[in-house]
Short mmCIF file of all heavy atoms in Angstrom, two decimals:
data_model
loop_
_atom_site.label_atom_id
_atom_site.label_comp_id
_atom_site.label_asym_id
_atom_site.label_seq_id
_atom_site.Cartn_x
_atom_site.Cartn_y
_atom_site.Cartn_z
N MET A 1 0.85 -1.18 0.00
CA MET A 1 0.00 0.00 0.00
C MET A 1 0.89 1.25 0.00
O MET A 1 1.85 1.34 0.74
CB MET A 1 -0.89 -0.02 1.24
CG MET A 1 -1.85 1.11 1.29
SD MET A 1 -2.99 0.78 2.66
CE MET A 1 -3.88 2.25 2.61
N ARG A 2 0.55 2.19 -0.80
CA ARG A 2 1.35 3.39 -0.96
C ARG A 2 0.66 4.56 -0.28
O ARG A 2 -0.54 4.76 -0.43
CB ARG A 2 1.51 3.67 -2.44
CG ARG A 2 2.55 4.70 -2.75
CD ARG A 2 2.74 4.81 -4.22
NE ARG A 2 1.58 5.54 -4.76
CZ ARG A 2 1.44 5.89 -6.03
NH1 ARG A 2 2.35 5.55 -6.89
NH2 ARG A 2 0.40 6.55 -6.43
N GLY A 3 1.41 5.35 0.51
CA GLY A 3 0.84 6.50 1.20
C GLY A 3 0.72 7.69 0.26
O GLY A 3 1.54 7.89 -0.63
N GLU A 4 -0.34 8.44 0.44
CA GLU A 4 -0.55 9.63 -0.36
C GLU A 4 -0.65 10.84 0.54
O GLU A 4 -1.13 10.75 1.66
CB GLU A 4 -1.84 9.51 -1.17
CG GLU A 4 -1.82 8.41 -2.20
CD GLU A 4 -3.11 8.38 -3.00
OE1 GLU A 4 -3.67 9.46 -3.25
OE2 GLU A 4 -3.55 7.28 -3.34
N ILE A 5 -0.22 11.96 0.02
CA ILE A 5 -0.38 13.21 0.75
C ILE A 5 -1.72 13.79 0.34
O ILE A 5 -1.98 14.04 -0.84
CB ILE A 5 0.76 14.19 0.41
CG1 ILE A 5 2.09 13.60 0.85
CG2 ILE A 5 0.50 15.53 1.06
CD1 ILE A 5 3.29 14.42 0.46
N LEU A 6 -2.59 13.97 1.34
CA LEU A 6 -3.94 14.41 1.05
C LEU A 6 -4.15 15.91 1.21
O LEU A 6 -5.19 16.43 0.83
CB LEU A 6 -4.94 13.66 1.95
CG LEU A 6 -4.92 12.14 1.78
CD1 LEU A 6 -5.86 11.50 2.78
CD2 LEU A 6 -5.32 11.76 0.37
N GLY A 7 -3.20 16.58 1.76
CA GLY A 7 -3.38 18.01 1.96
C GLY A 7 -2.11 18.67 2.44
O GLY A 7 -1.08 18.03 2.62
N VAL A 8 -2.21 19.95 2.67
CA VAL A 8 -1.07 20.71 3.15
C VAL A 8 -0.87 20.44 4.63
O VAL A 8 -1.83 20.35 5.39
CB VAL A 8 -1.33 22.22 2.93
CG1 VAL A 8 -0.19 23.05 3.48
CG2 VAL A 8 -1.54 22.52 1.46
N GLU A 9 0.38 20.28 5.02
CA GLU A 9 0.67 20.05 6.44
C GLU A 9 0.23 21.26 7.25
O GLU A 9 0.48 22.40 6.87
CB GLU A 9 2.16 19.82 6.64
CG GLU A 9 2.52 19.51 8.06
CD GLU A 9 4.00 19.29 8.27
OE1 GLU A 9 4.74 19.25 7.29
OE2 GLU A 9 4.39 19.15 9.43
N ARG A 10 -0.45 21.05 8.37
CA ARG A 10 -0.99 22.12 9.18
C ARG A 10 -0.06 22.54 10.31
O ARG A 10 -0.34 23.48 11.01
CB ARG A 10 -2.33 21.70 9.79
CG ARG A 10 -3.40 21.42 8.78
CD ARG A 10 -4.08 22.65 8.34
NE ARG A 10 -4.64 23.31 9.50
CZ ARG A 10 -5.02 24.56 9.52
NH1 ARG A 10 -4.90 25.29 8.47
NH2 ARG A 10 -5.51 25.09 10.59
N ARG A 11 1.04 21.84 10.51
CA ARG A 11 1.94 22.15 11.61
C ARG A 11 2.65 23.47 11.32
O ARG A 11 3.22 23.66 10.28
CB ARG A 11 2.95 21.04 11.79
CG ARG A 11 3.85 21.25 12.99
CD ARG A 11 4.72 20.04 13.20
NE ARG A 11 3.89 18.88 13.44
CZ ARG A 11 3.85 18.23 14.60
NH1 ARG A 11 4.59 18.61 15.58
NH2 ARG A 11 3.09 17.18 14.75
N ARG A 12 2.59 24.35 12.29
CA ARG A 12 3.26 25.63 12.17
C ARG A 12 4.21 25.80 13.34
O ARG A 12 4.01 25.23 14.39
CB ARG A 12 2.25 26.78 12.18
CG ARG A 12 1.36 26.75 10.94
CD ARG A 12 0.28 27.76 11.07
NE ARG A 12 -0.72 27.19 11.99
CZ ARG A 12 -1.81 27.82 12.38
NH1 ARG A 12 -2.06 29.03 11.97
NH2 ARG A 12 -2.67 27.25 13.19
N ARG A 13 5.20 26.60 13.15
CA ARG A 13 6.16 26.91 14.21
C ARG A 13 5.92 28.34 14.66
O ARG A 13 5.84 29.25 13.84
CB ARG A 13 7.60 26.77 13.71
CG ARG A 13 7.90 25.40 13.14
CD ARG A 13 8.10 24.39 14.24
NE ARG A 13 8.44 23.11 13.63
CZ ARG A 13 8.11 21.96 14.14
NH1 ARG A 13 7.43 21.91 15.25
NH2 ARG A 13 8.46 20.84 13.55
N TRP A 14 5.79 28.54 15.96
CA TRP A 14 5.56 29.85 16.53
C TRP A 14 6.74 30.19 17.44
O TRP A 14 7.13 29.37 18.27
CB TRP A 14 4.28 29.87 17.36
CG TRP A 14 3.04 29.53 16.60
CD1 TRP A 14 2.53 28.29 16.39
CD2 TRP A 14 2.14 30.43 15.96
NE1 TRP A 14 1.37 28.36 15.66
CE2 TRP A 14 1.11 29.68 15.40
CE3 TRP A 14 2.11 31.82 15.84
CZ2 TRP A 14 0.06 30.26 14.69
CZ3 TRP A 14 1.05 32.40 15.14
CH2 TRP A 14 0.06 31.62 14.57
N SER A 15 7.28 31.37 17.31
CA SER A 15 8.35 31.80 18.20
C SER A 15 7.73 32.16 19.55
O SER A 15 6.52 32.39 19.66
CB SER A 15 9.08 33.01 17.62
OG SER A 15 8.24 34.14 17.65
N ASP A 16 8.58 32.24 20.58
CA ASP A 16 8.09 32.63 21.90
C ASP A 16 7.49 34.03 21.86
O ASP A 16 6.50 34.31 22.53
CB ASP A 16 9.21 32.56 22.94
CG ASP A 16 9.57 31.12 23.31
OD1 ASP A 16 8.76 30.20 23.03
OD2 ASP A 16 10.65 30.91 23.88
N GLU A 17 8.07 34.92 21.05
CA GLU A 17 7.56 36.29 20.94
C GLU A 17 6.16 36.30 20.32
O GLU A 17 5.28 37.04 20.77
CB GLU A 17 8.51 37.15 20.09
CG GLU A 17 9.84 37.43 20.75
CD GLU A 17 10.82 36.25 20.64
OE1 GLU A 17 10.67 35.40 19.73
OE2 GLU A 17 11.72 36.18 21.49
N GLU A 18 5.93 35.46 19.31
CA GLU A 18 4.61 35.37 18.68
C GLU A 18 3.59 34.80 19.67
O GLU A 18 2.46 35.29 19.76
CB GLU A 18 4.67 34.49 17.44
CG GLU A 18 5.44 35.11 16.29
CD GLU A 18 5.67 34.14 15.14
OE1 GLU A 18 6.03 32.96 15.41
OE2 GLU A 18 5.50 34.57 13.99
N LYS A 19 4.00 33.78 20.42
CA LYS A 19 3.12 33.18 21.41
C LYS A 19 2.73 34.21 22.47
O LYS A 19 1.55 34.32 22.84
CB LYS A 19 3.78 31.98 22.08
CG LYS A 19 3.99 30.81 21.15
CD LYS A 19 4.76 29.71 21.87
CE LYS A 19 5.11 28.57 20.96
NZ LYS A 19 5.85 27.51 21.65
N LEU A 20 3.72 34.98 22.95
CA LEU A 20 3.45 36.01 23.95
C LEU A 20 2.48 37.05 23.43
O LEU A 20 1.56 37.47 24.14
CB LEU A 20 4.75 36.69 24.38
CG LEU A 20 5.55 36.01 25.47
CD1 LEU A 20 6.92 36.67 25.62
CD2 LEU A 20 4.81 36.03 26.78
N ALA A 21 2.67 37.48 22.20
CA ALA A 21 1.79 38.48 21.61
C ALA A 21 0.35 37.97 21.53
O ALA A 21 -0.61 38.69 21.84
CB ALA A 21 2.29 38.88 20.22
N ILE A 22 0.20 36.71 21.16
CA ILE A 22 -1.15 36.12 21.07
C ILE A 22 -1.75 36.00 22.46
O ILE A 22 -2.91 36.35 22.68
CB ILE A 22 -1.09 34.76 20.35
CG1 ILE A 22 -0.77 34.98 18.87
CG2 ILE A 22 -2.41 34.00 20.51
CD1 ILE A 22 -0.48 33.71 18.09
N LEU A 23 -0.97 35.53 23.43
CA LEU A 23 -1.46 35.40 24.81
C LEU A 23 -1.86 36.75 25.39
O LEU A 23 -2.86 36.86 26.10
CB LEU A 23 -0.41 34.74 25.70
CG LEU A 23 -0.21 33.25 25.52
CD1 LEU A 23 0.99 32.77 26.32
CD2 LEU A 23 -1.45 32.50 25.94
N GLN A 24 -1.09 37.77 25.11
CA GLN A 24 -1.38 39.09 25.66
C GLN A 24 -2.58 39.74 25.01
O GLN A 24 -3.15 40.68 25.57
CB GLN A 24 -0.14 39.98 25.54
CG GLN A 24 0.97 39.53 26.46
CD GLN A 24 2.28 40.23 26.23
OE1 GLN A 24 2.48 40.87 25.20
NE2 GLN A 24 3.19 40.12 27.19
N SER A 25 -3.00 39.24 23.86
CA SER A 25 -4.19 39.82 23.22
C SER A 25 -5.49 39.31 23.84
O SER A 25 -6.56 39.88 23.60
CB SER A 25 -4.17 39.54 21.71
OG SER A 25 -4.32 38.16 21.45
N VAL A 26 -5.40 38.27 24.67
CA VAL A 26 -6.59 37.78 25.38
C VAL A 26 -6.96 38.83 26.42
O VAL A 26 -6.13 39.28 27.20
CB VAL A 26 -6.31 36.42 26.06
CG1 VAL A 26 -7.49 35.99 26.92
CG2 VAL A 26 -6.00 35.36 25.01
N GLY A 27 -8.20 39.23 26.42
CA GLY A 27 -8.68 40.20 27.40
C GLY A 27 -8.69 41.62 26.88
O GLY A 27 -9.38 42.48 27.44
N ILE A 28 -7.94 41.90 25.82
CA ILE A 28 -7.94 43.26 25.27
C ILE A 28 -9.25 43.48 24.54
O ILE A 28 -9.62 42.72 23.65
CB ILE A 28 -6.75 43.47 24.32
CG1 ILE A 28 -5.45 43.38 25.10
CG2 ILE A 28 -6.86 44.80 23.58
CD1 ILE A 28 -4.20 43.50 24.27
N GLY A 29 -9.95 44.52 24.94
CA GLY A 29 -11.25 44.81 24.35
C GLY A 29 -12.28 43.73 24.64
O GLY A 29 -13.24 43.57 23.90
N GLY A 30 -12.04 42.96 25.70
CA GLY A 30 -12.99 41.91 26.08
C GLY A 30 -12.82 40.62 25.29
O GLY A 30 -13.68 39.75 25.34
N ALA A 31 -11.72 40.48 24.54
CA ALA A 31 -11.51 39.28 23.73
C ALA A 31 -11.32 38.05 24.61
O ALA A 31 -10.54 38.06 25.55
CB ALA A 31 -10.28 39.46 22.83
N THR A 32 -12.05 37.01 24.30
CA THR A 32 -11.95 35.76 25.04
C THR A 32 -10.88 34.86 24.41
O THR A 32 -10.44 35.11 23.29
CB THR A 32 -13.29 35.00 25.04
OG1 THR A 32 -13.60 34.64 23.68
CG2 THR A 32 -14.42 35.85 25.61
N VAL A 33 -10.51 33.82 25.13
CA VAL A 33 -9.55 32.86 24.60
C VAL A 33 -10.09 32.24 23.32
O VAL A 33 -9.37 32.09 22.33
CB VAL A 33 -9.22 31.76 25.65
CG1 VAL A 33 -8.39 30.65 25.03
CG2 VAL A 33 -8.51 32.36 26.84
N SER A 34 -11.37 31.93 23.30
CA SER A 34 -11.98 31.34 22.10
C SER A 34 -11.89 32.27 20.91
O SER A 34 -11.59 31.85 19.79
CB SER A 34 -13.45 31.00 22.36
OG SER A 34 -13.55 29.99 23.33
N GLN A 35 -12.16 33.55 21.13
CA GLN A 35 -12.11 34.51 20.03
C GLN A 35 -10.69 34.68 19.50
O GLN A 35 -10.47 34.74 18.29
CB GLN A 35 -12.65 35.86 20.48
CG GLN A 35 -14.14 35.83 20.75
CD GLN A 35 -14.62 37.08 21.47
OE1 GLN A 35 -13.87 37.74 22.19
NE2 GLN A 35 -15.90 37.40 21.29
N VAL A 36 -9.71 34.76 20.40
CA VAL A 36 -8.32 34.91 19.99
C VAL A 36 -7.86 33.66 19.24
O VAL A 36 -7.19 33.75 18.21
CB VAL A 36 -7.41 35.20 21.20
CG1 VAL A 36 -5.94 35.15 20.82
CG2 VAL A 36 -7.76 36.55 21.80
N ALA A 37 -8.24 32.49 19.73
CA ALA A 37 -7.87 31.24 19.07
C ALA A 37 -8.45 31.20 17.66
O ALA A 37 -7.76 30.85 16.70
CB ALA A 37 -8.37 30.05 19.89
N ARG A 38 -9.70 31.55 17.53
CA ARG A 38 -10.35 31.56 16.21
C ARG A 38 -9.65 32.54 15.26
O ARG A 38 -9.44 32.23 14.09
CB ARG A 38 -11.83 31.94 16.39
CG ARG A 38 -12.71 31.46 15.29
CD ARG A 38 -14.20 31.70 15.60
NE ARG A 38 -14.62 31.15 16.88
CZ ARG A 38 -15.11 31.89 17.88
NH1 ARG A 38 -15.27 33.18 17.76
NH2 ARG A 38 -15.47 31.32 19.01
N LEU A 39 -9.28 33.70 15.78
CA LEU A 39 -8.63 34.73 14.98
C LEU A 39 -7.29 34.23 14.40
O LEU A 39 -6.94 34.54 13.26
CB LEU A 39 -8.38 35.98 15.83
CG LEU A 39 -7.65 37.14 15.17
CD1 LEU A 39 -8.51 37.75 14.08
CD2 LEU A 39 -7.30 38.18 16.20
N HIS A 40 -6.58 33.42 15.19
CA HIS A 40 -5.26 32.94 14.76
C HIS A 40 -5.31 31.50 14.24
O HIS A 40 -4.26 30.88 14.05
CB HIS A 40 -4.27 33.05 15.92
CG HIS A 40 -4.02 34.46 16.32
ND1 HIS A 40 -3.21 35.31 15.60
CD2 HIS A 40 -4.49 35.20 17.36
CE1 HIS A 40 -3.18 36.49 16.18
NE2 HIS A 40 -3.96 36.45 17.24
N ASP A 41 -6.51 30.97 14.04
CA ASP A 41 -6.71 29.61 13.54
C ASP A 41 -6.03 28.58 14.44
O ASP A 41 -5.26 27.73 13.99
CB ASP A 41 -6.21 29.48 12.10
CG ASP A 41 -6.74 28.23 11.41
OD1 ASP A 41 -7.83 27.77 11.78
OD2 ASP A 41 -6.06 27.72 10.51
N LEU A 42 -6.29 28.71 15.75
CA LEU A 42 -5.75 27.80 16.76
C LEU A 42 -6.90 27.16 17.52
O LEU A 42 -8.04 27.61 17.44
CB LEU A 42 -4.90 28.57 17.77
CG LEU A 42 -3.65 29.27 17.27
CD1 LEU A 42 -3.14 30.26 18.31
CD2 LEU A 42 -2.59 28.26 16.94
N LYS A 43 -6.57 26.17 18.30
CA LYS A 43 -7.52 25.59 19.25
C LYS A 43 -7.31 26.29 20.59
O LYS A 43 -6.20 26.71 20.92
CB LYS A 43 -7.28 24.08 19.43
CG LYS A 43 -7.41 23.29 18.16
CD LYS A 43 -8.84 23.16 17.79
CE LYS A 43 -8.96 22.25 16.57
NZ LYS A 43 -10.24 22.35 15.93
N ARG A 44 -8.38 26.40 21.37
CA ARG A 44 -8.26 27.02 22.70
C ARG A 44 -7.19 26.34 23.54
O ARG A 44 -6.41 26.99 24.23
CB ARG A 44 -9.59 26.94 23.45
CG ARG A 44 -10.60 27.92 23.04
CD ARG A 44 -11.85 27.81 23.86
NE ARG A 44 -11.74 26.83 24.94
CZ ARG A 44 -12.75 26.30 25.58
NH1 ARG A 44 -13.97 26.65 25.29
NH2 ARG A 44 -12.57 25.43 26.53
N GLN A 45 -7.16 25.02 23.47
CA GLN A 45 -6.21 24.26 24.28
C GLN A 45 -4.77 24.64 23.95
O GLN A 45 -3.90 24.61 24.82
CB GLN A 45 -6.43 22.75 24.08
CG GLN A 45 -5.54 21.90 24.95
CD GLN A 45 -5.67 22.24 26.43
OE1 GLN A 45 -6.75 22.51 26.93
NE2 GLN A 45 -4.56 22.22 27.15
N GLN A 46 -4.50 25.01 22.70
CA GLN A 46 -3.15 25.41 22.32
C GLN A 46 -2.73 26.66 23.08
O GLN A 46 -1.59 26.77 23.54
CB GLN A 46 -3.07 25.65 20.81
CG GLN A 46 -1.66 25.91 20.32
CD GLN A 46 -0.77 24.71 20.49
OE1 GLN A 46 -1.09 23.63 20.01
NE2 GLN A 46 0.33 24.88 21.18
N ILE A 47 -3.64 27.60 23.22
CA ILE A 47 -3.34 28.83 23.95
C ILE A 47 -3.06 28.53 25.42
O ILE A 47 -2.11 29.05 26.01
CB ILE A 47 -4.47 29.86 23.79
CG1 ILE A 47 -4.49 30.33 22.32
CG2 ILE A 47 -4.31 31.04 24.74
CD1 ILE A 47 -5.57 31.31 21.98
N TYR A 48 -3.86 27.65 26.02
CA TYR A 48 -3.64 27.27 27.41
C TYR A 48 -2.29 26.55 27.57
O TYR A 48 -1.57 26.76 28.54
CB TYR A 48 -4.76 26.39 27.94
CG TYR A 48 -6.07 27.12 28.08
CD1 TYR A 48 -7.21 26.71 27.40
CD2 TYR A 48 -6.18 28.24 28.91
CE1 TYR A 48 -8.42 27.38 27.54
CE2 TYR A 48 -7.38 28.92 29.04
CZ TYR A 48 -8.50 28.48 28.36
OH TYR A 48 -9.68 29.15 28.49
N ALA A 49 -1.93 25.70 26.61
CA ALA A 49 -0.65 24.99 26.66
C ALA A 49 0.51 25.98 26.55
O ALA A 49 1.51 25.85 27.26
CB ALA A 49 -0.58 23.94 25.55
N TRP A 50 0.38 26.96 25.65
CA TRP A 50 1.42 27.98 25.52
C TRP A 50 1.58 28.76 26.81
O TRP A 50 2.69 29.08 27.21
CB TRP A 50 1.08 28.95 24.39
CG TRP A 50 1.28 28.41 23.02
CD1 TRP A 50 1.87 27.23 22.66
CD2 TRP A 50 0.91 29.05 21.81
NE1 TRP A 50 1.86 27.11 21.30
CE2 TRP A 50 1.29 28.21 20.74
CE3 TRP A 50 0.27 30.25 21.52
CZ2 TRP A 50 1.07 28.54 19.42
CZ3 TRP A 50 0.05 30.58 20.19
CH2 TRP A 50 0.45 29.73 19.16
N ARG A 51 0.45 29.07 27.45
CA ARG A 51 0.52 29.82 28.71
C ARG A 51 1.34 29.05 29.74
O ARG A 51 2.22 29.61 30.39
CB ARG A 51 -0.91 30.07 29.23
CG ARG A 51 -0.94 30.95 30.45
CD ARG A 51 -2.34 31.12 30.97
NE ARG A 51 -3.15 31.89 30.04
CZ ARG A 51 -4.47 31.99 30.11
NH1 ARG A 51 -5.13 31.37 31.06
NH2 ARG A 51 -5.13 32.72 29.26
N SER A 52 1.09 27.77 29.87
CA SER A 52 1.84 26.94 30.82
C SER A 52 3.31 26.86 30.42
O SER A 52 4.20 26.99 31.27
CB SER A 52 1.26 25.52 30.87
OG SER A 52 -0.04 25.55 31.38
N GLU A 53 3.56 26.66 29.14
CA GLU A 53 4.94 26.54 28.64
C GLU A 53 5.74 27.82 28.91
O GLU A 53 6.87 27.77 29.39
CB GLU A 53 4.91 26.27 27.13
CG GLU A 53 6.25 26.32 26.45
CD GLU A 53 6.12 26.34 24.93
OE1 GLU A 53 5.09 25.89 24.39
OE2 GLU A 53 7.07 26.81 24.28
N LEU A 54 5.14 28.97 28.63
CA LEU A 54 5.85 30.22 28.80
C LEU A 54 6.03 30.58 30.28
O LEU A 54 7.01 31.22 30.64
CB LEU A 54 5.15 31.35 28.04
CG LEU A 54 5.17 31.18 26.51
CD1 LEU A 54 4.36 32.28 25.83
CD2 LEU A 54 6.59 31.15 25.97
N LYS A 55 5.11 30.15 31.12
CA LYS A 55 5.29 30.35 32.57
C LYS A 55 6.48 29.54 33.06
O LYS A 55 7.28 30.00 33.86
CB LYS A 55 4.03 29.94 33.33
CG LYS A 55 2.94 30.98 33.30
CD LYS A 55 1.74 30.51 34.09
CE LYS A 55 0.61 31.51 34.00
NZ LYS A 55 -0.58 31.04 34.71
N GLN A 56 6.60 28.30 32.58
CA GLN A 56 7.72 27.44 32.99
C GLN A 56 9.04 28.01 32.52
O GLN A 56 10.05 27.89 33.21
CB GLN A 56 7.54 26.03 32.44
CG GLN A 56 6.45 25.26 33.13
CD GLN A 56 6.23 23.89 32.51
OE1 GLN A 56 6.78 23.57 31.47
NE2 GLN A 56 5.40 23.08 33.16
N LYS A 57 9.05 28.65 31.36
CA LYS A 57 10.28 29.26 30.83
C LYS A 57 10.59 30.59 31.51
O LYS A 57 11.65 31.16 31.29
CB LYS A 57 10.15 29.50 29.33
CG LYS A 57 10.19 28.26 28.49
CD LYS A 57 10.10 28.63 27.02
CE LYS A 57 10.22 27.43 26.12
NZ LYS A 57 10.16 27.82 24.69
N GLY A 58 9.65 31.11 32.30
CA GLY A 58 9.86 32.38 32.98
C GLY A 58 9.57 33.58 32.10
O GLY A 58 9.91 34.71 32.45
N LEU A 59 8.93 33.37 30.96
CA LEU A 59 8.63 34.47 30.04
C LEU A 59 7.28 35.11 30.31
O LEU A 59 6.99 36.20 29.82
CB LEU A 59 8.68 33.97 28.59
CG LEU A 59 10.03 33.44 28.13
CD1 LEU A 59 9.92 32.84 26.75
CD2 LEU A 59 11.07 34.55 28.15
N LEU A 60 6.47 34.43 31.08
CA LEU A 60 5.14 34.94 31.42
C LEU A 60 5.05 34.92 32.94
O LEU A 60 5.34 33.90 33.57
CB LEU A 60 4.07 34.04 30.81
CG LEU A 60 2.65 34.56 30.75
CD1 LEU A 60 2.56 35.77 29.82
CD2 LEU A 60 1.71 33.48 30.24
N PRO A 61 4.66 36.04 33.55
CA PRO A 61 4.61 36.06 35.01
C PRO A 61 3.58 35.07 35.54
O PRO A 61 2.52 34.89 34.96
CB PRO A 61 4.20 37.50 35.34
CG PRO A 61 3.74 38.11 34.09
CD PRO A 61 4.24 37.28 32.95
N ARG A 62 3.95 34.43 36.62
CA ARG A 62 3.01 33.52 37.29
C ARG A 62 1.93 34.35 37.95
O ARG A 62 2.16 35.49 38.35
CB ARG A 62 3.73 32.67 38.33
CG ARG A 62 4.76 31.77 37.72
CD ARG A 62 5.19 30.70 38.71
NE ARG A 62 6.23 29.87 38.14
CZ ARG A 62 5.99 28.79 37.39
NH1 ARG A 62 4.78 28.44 37.10
NH2 ARG A 62 6.99 28.08 36.92
N ASP A 63 0.76 33.77 38.07
CA ASP A 63 -0.35 34.49 38.70
C ASP A 63 0.00 34.82 40.15
O ASP A 63 0.45 33.97 40.90
CB ASP A 63 -1.63 33.66 38.67
CG ASP A 63 -2.13 33.46 37.25
OD1 ASP A 63 -1.83 34.31 36.40
OD2 ASP A 63 -2.81 32.45 37.01
N ALA A 64 -0.22 36.05 40.51
CA ALA A 64 0.05 36.47 41.88
C ALA A 64 -1.17 36.33 42.77
O ALA A 64 -1.19 36.79 43.89
CB ALA A 64 0.51 37.93 41.88
N GLY A 65 -2.19 35.69 42.27
CA GLY A 65 -3.42 35.53 43.02
C GLY A 65 -4.56 36.18 42.26
O GLY A 65 -4.38 36.69 41.16
N PRO A 66 -5.73 36.20 42.86
CA PRO A 66 -6.89 36.78 42.17
C PRO A 66 -6.75 38.29 42.00
O PRO A 66 -6.14 38.97 42.83
CB PRO A 66 -8.07 36.44 43.09
CG PRO A 66 -7.47 36.13 44.40
CD PRO A 66 -6.06 35.65 44.16
N VAL A 67 -7.30 38.77 40.92
CA VAL A 67 -7.29 40.20 40.65
C VAL A 67 -8.72 40.71 40.86
O VAL A 67 -9.66 40.16 40.27
CB VAL A 67 -6.84 40.49 39.20
CG1 VAL A 67 -6.94 41.97 38.89
CG2 VAL A 67 -5.43 39.98 39.00
N PHE A 68 -8.88 41.71 41.70
CA PHE A 68 -10.19 42.27 41.97
C PHE A 68 -10.33 43.60 41.27
O PHE A 68 -9.47 44.47 41.39
CB PHE A 68 -10.40 42.43 43.48
CG PHE A 68 -10.40 41.12 44.21
CD1 PHE A 68 -9.24 40.67 44.84
CD2 PHE A 68 -11.51 40.32 44.24
CE1 PHE A 68 -9.22 39.47 45.51
CE2 PHE A 68 -11.51 39.09 44.90
CZ PHE A 68 -10.36 38.68 45.54
N LEU A 69 -11.39 43.76 40.54
CA LEU A 69 -11.64 44.99 39.81
C LEU A 69 -12.78 45.73 40.47
O LEU A 69 -13.73 45.13 40.97
CB LEU A 69 -11.99 44.68 38.36
CG LEU A 69 -10.93 43.92 37.56
CD1 LEU A 69 -11.47 43.56 36.18
CD2 LEU A 69 -9.68 44.75 37.44
N PRO A 70 -12.73 47.05 40.46
CA PRO A 70 -13.85 47.82 41.04
C PRO A 70 -15.11 47.61 40.24
O PRO A 70 -15.07 47.47 39.03
CB PRO A 70 -13.36 49.27 40.97
CG PRO A 70 -12.25 49.27 39.98
CD PRO A 70 -11.69 47.90 39.94
N VAL A 71 -16.22 47.58 40.93
CA VAL A 71 -17.52 47.36 40.28
C VAL A 71 -18.26 48.67 40.18
O VAL A 71 -18.28 49.49 41.02
CB VAL A 71 -18.35 46.33 41.05
CG1 VAL A 71 -19.65 46.06 40.33
CG2 VAL A 71 -17.57 45.06 41.24
#
């Protein structure tokens, strides 16, 4: 049996700077993780995985606890 290529490979490489820029766009203007993921043709889980990865690398600050906003 011979393998065939059925489409274009979807794997992309993102630099840490690109990942940070995408992560930082969450919340701007009320943008949700789902909206940002859709905008960049990603899955929500990918954004969450990047967040964990960049925290481990020390490129994204760890949460200092809950943030309270005035109502």
Side-chain angles (χ1 to χ4, degrees):
M1 183 171 175
R2 192 174 75 176
E4 295 182 35
I5 298 175
L6 300 176
V8 177
E9 183 180 353
R10 297 277 302 163
R11 185 173 300 247
R12 293 172 283 178
R13 304 283 182 212
W14 300 88
S15 70
D16 286 343
E17 292 79 23
E18 291 171 316
K19 293 175 185 180
L20 275 170
I22 290 171
L23 285 172
Q24 290 171 344
S25 67
V26 174
I28 294 177
T32 64
V33 171
S34 295
Q35 291 168 334
V36 171
R38 204 173 306 119
L39 177 68
H40 295 284
D41 196 27
L42 297 166
K43 301 286 185 196
R44 281 183 5 198
Q45 184 55 39
Q46 186 66 55
I47 292 178
Y48 291 121
W50 285 352
R51 186 182 292 167
S52 295
E53 172 192 337
L54 294 176
K55 281 181 183 178
Q56 288 176 351
K57 288 182 176 181
L59 298 174
L60 195 65
R62 297 195 183 274
D63 294 334
V67 176
F68 296 98
L69 301 174
V71 183

